[in-house]
mmCIF file of all heavy atoms in Angstrom:
data_model
loop_
_atom_site.group_PDB
_atom_site.id
_atom_site.type_symbol
_atom_site.label_atom_id
_atom_site.label_comp_id
_atom_site.label_asym_id
_atom_site.label_seq_id
_atom_site.Cartn_x
_atom_site.Cartn_y
_atom_site.Cartn_z
ATOM 1 N N GLY E 1 -19.457 0.581 -8.524
ATOM 2 C CA GLY E 1 -20.107 0.003 -7.379
ATOM 3 C C GLY E 1 -19.632 -1.386 -7.032
ATOM 4 O O GLY E 1 -20.011 -1.909 -5.925
ATOM 5 N N GLY E 2 -18.904 -1.938 -7.862
ATOM 6 C CA GLY E 2 -18.369 -3.310 -7.606
ATOM 7 C C GLY E 2 -17.238 -3.334 -6.699
ATOM 8 O O GLY E 2 -16.741 -2.341 -6.139
ATOM 9 N N SER E 3 -16.654 -4.587 -6.600
ATOM 10 C CA SER E 3 -15.519 -4.771 -5.617
ATOM 11 C C SER E 3 -14.434 -5.621 -6.229
ATOM 12 O O SER E 3 -14.697 -6.405 -7.128
ATOM 13 C CB SER E 3 -16.010 -5.518 -4.363
ATOM 14 O OG SER E 3 -16.947 -4.786 -3.668
ATOM 15 N N LEU E 4 -13.229 -5.453 -5.757
ATOM 16 C CA LEU E 4 -12.074 -6.237 -6.152
ATOM 17 C C LEU E 4 -11.197 -6.417 -4.910
ATOM 18 O O LEU E 4 -11.222 -5.504 -4.012
ATOM 19 C CB LEU E 4 -11.305 -5.564 -7.238
ATOM 20 C CG LEU E 4 -11.727 -5.611 -8.681
ATOM 21 C CD1 LEU E 4 -10.873 -4.753 -9.573
ATOM 22 C CD2 LEU E 4 -11.846 -7.052 -9.167
ATOM 23 N N ARG E 5 -10.522 -7.459 -4.877
ATOM 24 C CA ARG E 5 -9.473 -7.682 -3.813
ATOM 25 C C ARG E 5 -8.132 -7.948 -4.459
ATOM 26 O O ARG E 5 -7.950 -8.867 -5.190
ATOM 27 C CB ARG E 5 -9.860 -8.918 -2.957
ATOM 28 C CG ARG E 5 -9.022 -9.024 -1.693
ATOM 29 C CD ARG E 5 -9.403 -10.262 -0.961
ATOM 30 N NE ARG E 5 -8.742 -10.421 0.314
ATOM 31 C CZ ARG E 5 -8.116 -11.445 0.768
ATOM 32 N NH1 ARG E 5 -8.038 -12.557 -0.052
ATOM 33 N NH2 ARG E 5 -7.565 -11.472 1.996
ATOM 34 N N LEU E 6 -7.244 -6.971 -4.192
ATOM 35 C CA LEU E 6 -5.936 -7.071 -4.687
ATOM 36 C C LEU E 6 -4.993 -7.707 -3.683
ATOM 37 O O LEU E 6 -5.134 -7.597 -2.442
ATOM 38 C CB LEU E 6 -5.272 -5.695 -5.027
ATOM 39 C CG LEU E 6 -6.147 -4.738 -5.870
ATOM 40 C CD1 LEU E 6 -5.400 -3.465 -6.160
ATOM 41 C CD2 LEU E 6 -6.511 -5.478 -7.198
ATOM 42 N N SER E 7 -4.004 -8.435 -4.221
ATOM 43 C CA SER E 7 -2.909 -9.053 -3.297
ATOM 44 C C SER E 7 -1.577 -8.677 -3.828
ATOM 45 O O SER E 7 -1.339 -8.317 -4.920
ATOM 46 C CB SER E 7 -3.082 -10.634 -3.515
ATOM 47 O OG SER E 7 -4.363 -11.120 -3.008
ATOM 48 N N CYS E 8 -0.676 -8.572 -2.804
ATOM 49 C CA CYS E 8 0.673 -8.233 -3.064
ATOM 50 C C CYS E 8 1.575 -9.247 -2.326
ATOM 51 O O CYS E 8 1.625 -9.290 -1.133
ATOM 52 C CB CYS E 8 1.011 -6.812 -2.585
ATOM 53 S SG CYS E 8 2.763 -6.404 -2.535
ATOM 54 N N ALA E 9 2.269 -10.029 -3.087
ATOM 55 C CA ALA E 9 3.179 -10.987 -2.571
ATOM 56 C C ALA E 9 4.604 -10.353 -2.616
ATOM 57 O O ALA E 9 5.134 -10.020 -3.684
ATOM 58 C CB ALA E 9 3.148 -12.318 -3.446
ATOM 59 N N ALA E 10 5.218 -10.298 -1.478
ATOM 60 C CA ALA E 10 6.490 -9.627 -1.287
ATOM 61 C C ALA E 10 7.514 -10.575 -0.878
ATOM 62 O O ALA E 10 7.247 -11.570 -0.104
ATOM 63 C CB ALA E 10 6.345 -8.471 -0.306
ATOM 64 N N SER E 11 8.720 -10.375 -1.304
ATOM 65 C CA SER E 11 9.837 -11.197 -0.857
ATOM 66 C C SER E 11 11.131 -10.289 -0.750
ATOM 67 O O SER E 11 11.129 -9.223 -1.183
ATOM 68 C CB SER E 11 10.175 -12.304 -1.823
ATOM 69 O OG SER E 11 10.500 -11.816 -3.104
ATOM 70 N N GLY E 12 12.174 -10.734 -0.017
ATOM 71 C CA GLY E 12 13.280 -10.010 0.239
ATOM 72 C C GLY E 12 13.270 -9.415 1.684
ATOM 73 O O GLY E 12 12.596 -9.994 2.553
ATOM 74 N N HIS E 13 13.984 -8.343 1.838
ATOM 75 C CA HIS E 13 14.043 -7.763 3.173
ATOM 76 C C HIS E 13 13.048 -6.797 3.463
ATOM 77 O O HIS E 13 13.217 -5.672 3.826
ATOM 78 C CB HIS E 13 15.453 -7.148 3.312
ATOM 79 C CG HIS E 13 16.611 -8.067 3.190
ATOM 80 N ND1 HIS E 13 17.816 -7.694 2.604
ATOM 81 C CD2 HIS E 13 16.733 -9.406 3.516
ATOM 82 C CE1 HIS E 13 18.683 -8.748 2.590
ATOM 83 N NE2 HIS E 13 18.019 -9.763 3.193
ATOM 84 N N ILE E 14 11.775 -7.326 3.411
ATOM 85 C CA ILE E 14 10.556 -6.403 3.547
ATOM 86 C C ILE E 14 10.365 -5.966 4.953
ATOM 87 O O ILE E 14 9.909 -4.850 5.269
ATOM 88 C CB ILE E 14 9.321 -7.047 3.035
ATOM 89 C CG1 ILE E 14 9.056 -8.363 3.719
ATOM 90 C CG2 ILE E 14 9.386 -7.257 1.556
ATOM 91 C CD1 ILE E 14 7.715 -9.012 3.368
ATOM 92 N N PHE E 15 10.768 -6.796 5.909
ATOM 93 C CA PHE E 15 10.557 -6.352 7.297
ATOM 94 C C PHE E 15 11.592 -5.364 7.885
ATOM 95 O O PHE E 15 11.381 -4.918 9.083
ATOM 96 C CB PHE E 15 10.530 -7.697 8.200
ATOM 97 C CG PHE E 15 9.404 -8.570 7.881
ATOM 98 C CD1 PHE E 15 9.609 -9.827 7.257
ATOM 99 C CD2 PHE E 15 8.115 -8.225 8.207
ATOM 100 C CE1 PHE E 15 8.553 -10.618 6.990
ATOM 101 C CE2 PHE E 15 7.062 -9.046 7.954
ATOM 102 C CZ PHE E 15 7.264 -10.287 7.301
ATOM 103 N N SER E 16 12.542 -5.029 7.082
ATOM 104 C CA SER E 16 13.242 -3.876 7.440
ATOM 105 C C SER E 16 12.571 -2.584 7.271
ATOM 106 O O SER E 16 13.056 -1.548 7.696
ATOM 107 C CB SER E 16 14.629 -3.885 6.670
ATOM 108 O OG SER E 16 14.347 -3.703 5.327
ATOM 109 N N SER E 17 11.484 -2.570 6.543
ATOM 110 C CA SER E 17 10.704 -1.356 6.282
ATOM 111 C C SER E 17 9.657 -1.204 7.437
ATOM 112 O O SER E 17 9.485 -2.096 8.268
ATOM 113 C CB SER E 17 9.963 -1.569 4.931
ATOM 114 O OG SER E 17 9.012 -2.592 4.961
ATOM 115 N N ILE E 18 9.106 -0.027 7.470
ATOM 116 C CA ILE E 18 8.192 0.275 8.461
ATOM 117 C C ILE E 18 6.760 -0.306 8.169
ATOM 118 O O ILE E 18 6.097 -0.733 9.110
ATOM 119 C CB ILE E 18 8.037 1.824 8.680
ATOM 120 C CG1 ILE E 18 9.464 2.461 9.016
ATOM 121 C CG2 ILE E 18 7.003 2.189 9.729
ATOM 122 C CD1 ILE E 18 9.974 1.798 10.409
ATOM 123 N N ALA E 19 6.413 -0.294 6.926
ATOM 124 C CA ALA E 19 5.015 -0.637 6.484
ATOM 125 C C ALA E 19 5.052 -1.004 5.062
ATOM 126 O O ALA E 19 6.097 -0.950 4.345
ATOM 127 C CB ALA E 19 4.114 0.569 6.707
ATOM 128 N N MET E 20 3.967 -1.572 4.623
ATOM 129 C CA MET E 20 3.674 -1.795 3.231
ATOM 130 C C MET E 20 2.553 -0.932 2.803
ATOM 131 O O MET E 20 1.608 -0.624 3.555
ATOM 132 C CB MET E 20 3.296 -3.258 2.976
ATOM 133 C CG MET E 20 4.452 -4.244 3.158
ATOM 134 S SD MET E 20 5.742 -4.071 1.772
ATOM 135 C CE MET E 20 4.736 -4.527 0.366
ATOM 136 N N GLY E 21 2.611 -0.481 1.554
ATOM 137 C CA GLY E 21 1.567 0.365 1.005
ATOM 138 C C GLY E 21 1.133 0.035 -0.378
ATOM 139 O O GLY E 21 1.779 -0.707 -1.099
ATOM 140 N N TRP E 22 0.016 0.572 -0.668
ATOM 141 C CA TRP E 22 -0.532 0.474 -2.029
ATOM 142 C C TRP E 22 -0.562 1.872 -2.673
ATOM 143 O O TRP E 22 -0.898 2.851 -1.970
ATOM 144 C CB TRP E 22 -2.027 -0.060 -2.007
ATOM 145 C CG TRP E 22 -2.103 -1.545 -1.856
ATOM 146 C CD1 TRP E 22 -2.251 -2.250 -0.658
ATOM 147 C CD2 TRP E 22 -1.984 -2.499 -2.875
ATOM 148 N NE1 TRP E 22 -2.359 -3.559 -0.844
ATOM 149 C CE2 TRP E 22 -2.137 -3.818 -2.263
ATOM 150 C CE3 TRP E 22 -1.673 -2.539 -4.204
ATOM 151 C CZ2 TRP E 22 -2.050 -5.031 -2.934
ATOM 152 C CZ3 TRP E 22 -1.715 -3.763 -4.909
ATOM 153 C CH2 TRP E 22 -1.824 -4.886 -4.251
ATOM 154 N N PHE E 23 -0.247 1.962 -3.916
ATOM 155 C CA PHE E 23 -0.190 3.134 -4.677
ATOM 156 C C PHE E 23 -0.883 2.911 -6.012
ATOM 157 O O PHE E 23 -1.018 1.831 -6.464
ATOM 158 C CB PHE E 23 1.262 3.581 -4.904
ATOM 159 C CG PHE E 23 2.097 3.667 -3.625
ATOM 160 C CD1 PHE E 23 2.626 2.520 -3.078
ATOM 161 C CD2 PHE E 23 2.375 4.860 -3.050
ATOM 162 C CE1 PHE E 23 3.340 2.535 -1.849
ATOM 163 C CE2 PHE E 23 3.043 4.937 -1.849
ATOM 164 C CZ PHE E 23 3.603 3.828 -1.270
ATOM 165 N N ARG E 24 -1.228 3.975 -6.692
ATOM 166 C CA ARG E 24 -1.845 3.812 -7.941
ATOM 167 C C ARG E 24 -1.445 4.932 -8.900
ATOM 168 O O ARG E 24 -1.130 6.026 -8.501
ATOM 169 C CB ARG E 24 -3.371 3.751 -7.862
ATOM 170 C CG ARG E 24 -3.989 5.030 -7.388
ATOM 171 C CD ARG E 24 -5.522 4.787 -7.103
ATOM 172 N NE ARG E 24 -6.202 6.002 -6.756
ATOM 173 C CZ ARG E 24 -7.457 6.063 -6.357
ATOM 174 N NH1 ARG E 24 -8.184 4.973 -6.298
ATOM 175 N NH2 ARG E 24 -8.010 7.207 -5.979
ATOM 176 N N GLN E 25 -1.539 4.583 -10.218
ATOM 177 C CA GLN E 25 -1.192 5.603 -11.188
ATOM 178 C C GLN E 25 -2.139 5.548 -12.371
ATOM 179 O O GLN E 25 -2.184 4.394 -12.993
ATOM 180 C CB GLN E 25 0.330 5.434 -11.639
ATOM 181 C CG GLN E 25 0.791 6.426 -12.624
ATOM 182 C CD GLN E 25 2.262 6.405 -12.872
ATOM 183 O OE1 GLN E 25 2.909 5.319 -12.725
ATOM 184 N NE2 GLN E 25 2.841 7.587 -13.201
ATOM 185 N N ALA E 26 -2.832 6.512 -12.577
ATOM 186 C CA ALA E 26 -3.720 6.614 -13.700
ATOM 187 C C ALA E 26 -2.952 7.218 -14.960
ATOM 188 O O ALA E 26 -1.987 7.971 -14.785
ATOM 189 C CB ALA E 26 -4.990 7.469 -13.453
ATOM 190 N N PRO E 27 -3.444 6.968 -16.175
ATOM 191 C CA PRO E 27 -2.754 7.515 -17.336
ATOM 192 C C PRO E 27 -2.644 9.019 -17.207
ATOM 193 O O PRO E 27 -3.611 9.746 -16.982
ATOM 194 C CB PRO E 27 -3.628 7.072 -18.520
ATOM 195 C CG PRO E 27 -4.326 5.795 -17.992
ATOM 196 C CD PRO E 27 -4.527 6.051 -16.591
ATOM 197 N N GLY E 28 -1.445 9.553 -17.552
ATOM 198 C CA GLY E 28 -1.241 10.943 -17.500
ATOM 199 C C GLY E 28 -1.175 11.552 -16.086
ATOM 200 O O GLY E 28 -1.027 12.824 -16.068
ATOM 201 N N LYS E 29 -1.172 10.840 -15.083
ATOM 202 C CA LYS E 29 -1.079 11.275 -13.728
ATOM 203 C C LYS E 29 0.141 10.810 -13.006
ATOM 204 O O LYS E 29 0.669 9.719 -13.364
ATOM 205 C CB LYS E 29 -2.406 11.067 -12.953
ATOM 206 C CG LYS E 29 -3.645 11.628 -13.620
ATOM 207 C CD LYS E 29 -4.860 11.368 -12.742
ATOM 208 C CE LYS E 29 -4.804 12.028 -11.421
ATOM 209 N NZ LYS E 29 -6.057 11.742 -10.583
ATOM 210 N N GLU E 30 0.472 11.439 -11.911
ATOM 211 C CA GLU E 30 1.574 10.889 -11.045
ATOM 212 C C GLU E 30 1.070 9.740 -10.225
ATOM 213 O O GLU E 30 -0.125 9.697 -9.883
ATOM 214 C CB GLU E 30 2.083 12.034 -10.129
ATOM 215 C CG GLU E 30 2.691 13.133 -10.945
ATOM 216 C CD GLU E 30 3.960 12.862 -11.620
ATOM 217 O OE1 GLU E 30 4.732 11.904 -11.085
ATOM 218 O OE2 GLU E 30 4.319 13.403 -12.670
ATOM 219 N N ARG E 31 1.972 8.993 -9.819
ATOM 220 C CA ARG E 31 1.636 7.856 -8.875
ATOM 221 C C ARG E 31 1.222 8.513 -7.519
ATOM 222 O O ARG E 31 1.867 9.414 -7.047
ATOM 223 C CB ARG E 31 2.866 6.926 -8.691
ATOM 224 C CG ARG E 31 2.430 5.577 -8.191
ATOM 225 C CD ARG E 31 3.654 4.756 -7.686
ATOM 226 N NE ARG E 31 4.807 4.910 -8.519
ATOM 227 C CZ ARG E 31 5.175 4.114 -9.546
ATOM 228 N NH1 ARG E 31 4.411 3.032 -9.889
ATOM 229 N NH2 ARG E 31 6.286 4.318 -10.236
ATOM 230 N N GLU E 32 0.211 7.990 -6.948
ATOM 231 C CA GLU E 32 -0.284 8.495 -5.665
ATOM 232 C C GLU E 32 -0.389 7.472 -4.546
ATOM 233 O O GLU E 32 -0.706 6.250 -4.896
ATOM 234 C CB GLU E 32 -1.653 9.212 -5.848
ATOM 235 C CG GLU E 32 -2.774 8.298 -6.259
ATOM 236 C CD GLU E 32 -4.038 9.056 -6.401
ATOM 237 O OE1 GLU E 32 -4.180 10.180 -5.830
ATOM 238 O OE2 GLU E 32 -5.043 8.549 -6.981
ATOM 239 N N PHE E 33 -0.325 7.836 -3.401
ATOM 240 C CA PHE E 33 -0.544 6.952 -2.233
ATOM 241 C C PHE E 33 -2.019 6.568 -2.076
ATOM 242 O O PHE E 33 -2.936 7.466 -2.205
ATOM 243 C CB PHE E 33 -0.059 7.626 -0.986
ATOM 244 C CG PHE E 33 -0.375 6.954 0.348
ATOM 245 C CD1 PHE E 33 0.264 5.877 0.716
ATOM 246 C CD2 PHE E 33 -1.490 7.432 1.063
ATOM 247 C CE1 PHE E 33 -0.081 5.117 1.902
ATOM 248 C CE2 PHE E 33 -1.787 6.779 2.237
ATOM 249 C CZ PHE E 33 -1.166 5.642 2.609
ATOM 250 N N VAL E 34 -2.306 5.375 -1.750
ATOM 251 C CA VAL E 34 -3.686 4.884 -1.567
ATOM 252 C C VAL E 34 -3.809 4.453 -0.120
ATOM 253 O O VAL E 34 -4.763 4.920 0.569
ATOM 254 C CB VAL E 34 -3.983 3.711 -2.519
ATOM 255 C CG1 VAL E 34 -5.344 3.137 -2.144
ATOM 256 C CG2 VAL E 34 -3.902 4.174 -3.952
ATOM 257 N N ALA E 35 -2.997 3.609 0.366
ATOM 258 C CA ALA E 35 -3.252 2.972 1.739
ATOM 259 C C ALA E 35 -1.888 2.402 2.219
ATOM 260 O O ALA E 35 -1.024 2.001 1.371
ATOM 261 C CB ALA E 35 -4.326 1.958 1.757
ATOM 262 N N ALA E 36 -1.724 2.202 3.527
ATOM 263 C CA ALA E 36 -0.592 1.555 4.030
ATOM 264 C C ALA E 36 -1.010 0.785 5.300
ATOM 265 O O ALA E 36 -1.999 1.209 6.001
ATOM 266 C CB ALA E 36 0.501 2.579 4.298
ATOM 267 N N VAL E 37 -0.170 -0.151 5.687
ATOM 268 C CA VAL E 37 -0.385 -0.930 6.951
ATOM 269 C C VAL E 37 0.999 -1.130 7.512
ATOM 270 O O VAL E 37 1.847 -1.662 6.861
ATOM 271 C CB VAL E 37 -1.195 -2.200 6.664
ATOM 272 C CG1 VAL E 37 -0.560 -3.154 5.699
ATOM 273 C CG2 VAL E 37 -1.428 -2.960 8.001
ATOM 274 N N SER E 38 1.178 -0.980 8.835
ATOM 275 C CA SER E 38 2.414 -1.234 9.439
ATOM 276 C C SER E 38 2.626 -2.671 9.704
ATOM 277 O O SER E 38 1.661 -3.490 10.020
ATOM 278 C CB SER E 38 2.509 -0.418 10.771
ATOM 279 O OG SER E 38 1.643 -0.956 11.736
ATOM 280 N N TRP E 39 3.872 -3.133 9.583
ATOM 281 C CA TRP E 39 4.161 -4.579 9.860
ATOM 282 C C TRP E 39 4.072 -4.817 11.370
ATOM 283 O O TRP E 39 3.618 -5.952 11.712
ATOM 284 C CB TRP E 39 5.608 -4.944 9.445
ATOM 285 C CG TRP E 39 5.838 -5.037 8.008
ATOM 286 C CD1 TRP E 39 6.661 -4.228 7.258
ATOM 287 C CD2 TRP E 39 5.231 -5.902 7.052
ATOM 288 N NE1 TRP E 39 6.671 -4.692 5.901
ATOM 289 C CE2 TRP E 39 5.673 -5.691 5.807
ATOM 290 C CE3 TRP E 39 4.255 -6.926 7.255
ATOM 291 C CZ2 TRP E 39 5.305 -6.381 4.680
ATOM 292 C CZ3 TRP E 39 3.857 -7.583 6.097
ATOM 293 C CH2 TRP E 39 4.396 -7.273 4.803
ATOM 294 N N SER E 40 4.387 -3.886 12.202
ATOM 295 C CA SER E 40 4.493 -4.164 13.642
ATOM 296 C C SER E 40 3.155 -4.353 14.344
ATOM 297 O O SER E 40 2.891 -5.369 14.975
ATOM 298 C CB SER E 40 5.252 -3.021 14.343
ATOM 299 O OG SER E 40 4.633 -1.828 14.093
ATOM 300 N N ASP E 41 2.243 -3.487 14.164
ATOM 301 C CA ASP E 41 0.999 -3.504 14.871
ATOM 302 C C ASP E 41 -0.326 -3.421 13.956
ATOM 303 O O ASP E 41 -1.431 -3.383 14.524
ATOM 304 C CB ASP E 41 0.943 -2.390 15.988
ATOM 305 C CG ASP E 41 0.963 -0.968 15.448
ATOM 306 O OD1 ASP E 41 1.004 -0.802 14.188
ATOM 307 O OD2 ASP E 41 1.057 -0.006 16.137
ATOM 308 N N GLY E 42 -0.089 -3.351 12.709
ATOM 309 C CA GLY E 42 -1.248 -3.331 11.800
ATOM 310 C C GLY E 42 -1.972 -2.054 11.638
ATOM 311 O O GLY E 42 -3.017 -1.906 11.081
ATOM 312 N N THR E 43 -1.313 -0.966 12.165
ATOM 313 C CA THR E 43 -1.932 0.348 11.995
ATOM 314 C C THR E 43 -2.115 0.744 10.517
ATOM 315 O O THR E 43 -1.213 0.452 9.722
ATOM 316 C CB THR E 43 -1.015 1.441 12.642
ATOM 317 O OG1 THR E 43 -0.928 1.148 14.036
ATOM 318 C CG2 THR E 43 -1.674 2.834 12.505
ATOM 319 N N THR E 44 -3.265 1.277 10.181
ATOM 320 C CA THR E 44 -3.547 1.576 8.832
ATOM 321 C C THR E 44 -3.705 2.990 8.548
ATOM 322 O O THR E 44 -3.950 3.754 9.403
ATOM 323 C CB THR E 44 -4.877 0.813 8.419
ATOM 324 O OG1 THR E 44 -5.931 1.251 9.209
ATOM 325 C CG2 THR E 44 -4.781 -0.651 8.445
ATOM 326 N N TYR E 45 -3.453 3.414 7.291
ATOM 327 C CA TYR E 45 -3.505 4.715 6.807
ATOM 328 C C TYR E 45 -4.183 4.691 5.445
ATOM 329 O O TYR E 45 -3.906 3.824 4.689
ATOM 330 C CB TYR E 45 -2.094 5.339 6.725
ATOM 331 C CG TYR E 45 -1.305 5.229 8.002
ATOM 332 C CD1 TYR E 45 -0.538 4.126 8.219
ATOM 333 C CD2 TYR E 45 -1.332 6.303 8.967
ATOM 334 C CE1 TYR E 45 0.150 3.980 9.386
ATOM 335 C CE2 TYR E 45 -0.573 6.192 10.119
ATOM 336 C CZ TYR E 45 0.166 5.054 10.318
ATOM 337 O OH TYR E 45 0.871 4.892 11.450
ATOM 338 N N TYR E 46 -5.004 5.775 5.142
ATOM 339 C CA TYR E 46 -5.710 5.872 3.920
ATOM 340 C C TYR E 46 -5.657 7.203 3.288
ATOM 341 O O TYR E 46 -5.752 8.207 4.068
ATOM 342 C CB TYR E 46 -7.151 5.357 4.054
ATOM 343 C CG TYR E 46 -7.320 3.944 4.517
ATOM 344 C CD1 TYR E 46 -7.524 3.671 5.876
ATOM 345 C CD2 TYR E 46 -7.373 2.884 3.607
ATOM 346 C CE1 TYR E 46 -7.613 2.319 6.272
ATOM 347 C CE2 TYR E 46 -7.494 1.597 4.015
ATOM 348 C CZ TYR E 46 -7.606 1.237 5.330
ATOM 349 O OH TYR E 46 -7.808 -0.050 5.732
ATOM 350 N N ALA E 47 -5.600 7.252 2.024
ATOM 351 C CA ALA E 47 -5.845 8.570 1.335
ATOM 352 C C ALA E 47 -7.297 8.911 1.503
ATOM 353 O O ALA E 47 -8.229 8.047 1.547
ATOM 354 C CB ALA E 47 -5.464 8.435 -0.134
ATOM 355 N N ASP E 48 -7.611 10.181 1.588
ATOM 356 C CA ASP E 48 -8.946 10.627 1.737
ATOM 357 C C ASP E 48 -9.858 10.183 0.650
ATOM 358 O O ASP E 48 -11.084 9.909 0.868
ATOM 359 C CB ASP E 48 -8.989 12.157 1.806
ATOM 360 C CG ASP E 48 -8.411 12.754 3.034
ATOM 361 O OD1 ASP E 48 -8.251 12.051 4.021
ATOM 362 O OD2 ASP E 48 -8.118 13.966 3.047
#
């Protein structure tokens, strides 16, 4: 029920990409997509 705010500081040629995303990996599981935001217009996408 609590909250956290994660930050991602990026450097390099990040703006050559379409978007930035968050992913997560639990023990014994594959890494999965969580959310993404486009650099250009801020469009967001979320895992269900």
Side-chain angles (χ1 to χ4, degrees):
S3 298
L4 284 172
R5 188 181 189 231
L6 307 184
S7 297
C8 170
S11 62
H13 298 146
I14 57 174
F15 294 110
S16 64
S17 64
I18 301 299
M20 288 291 294
W22 283 97
F23 307 80
R24 66 187 182 187
Q25 186 169 24
K29 298 181 66 177
E30 297 292 329
R31 199 190 324 263
E32 65 176 343
F33 169 79
V34 175
V37 59
S38 69
W39 287 121
S40 59
D41 62 5
T43 301
T44 57
Y45 308 86
Y46 297 95
D48 288 343

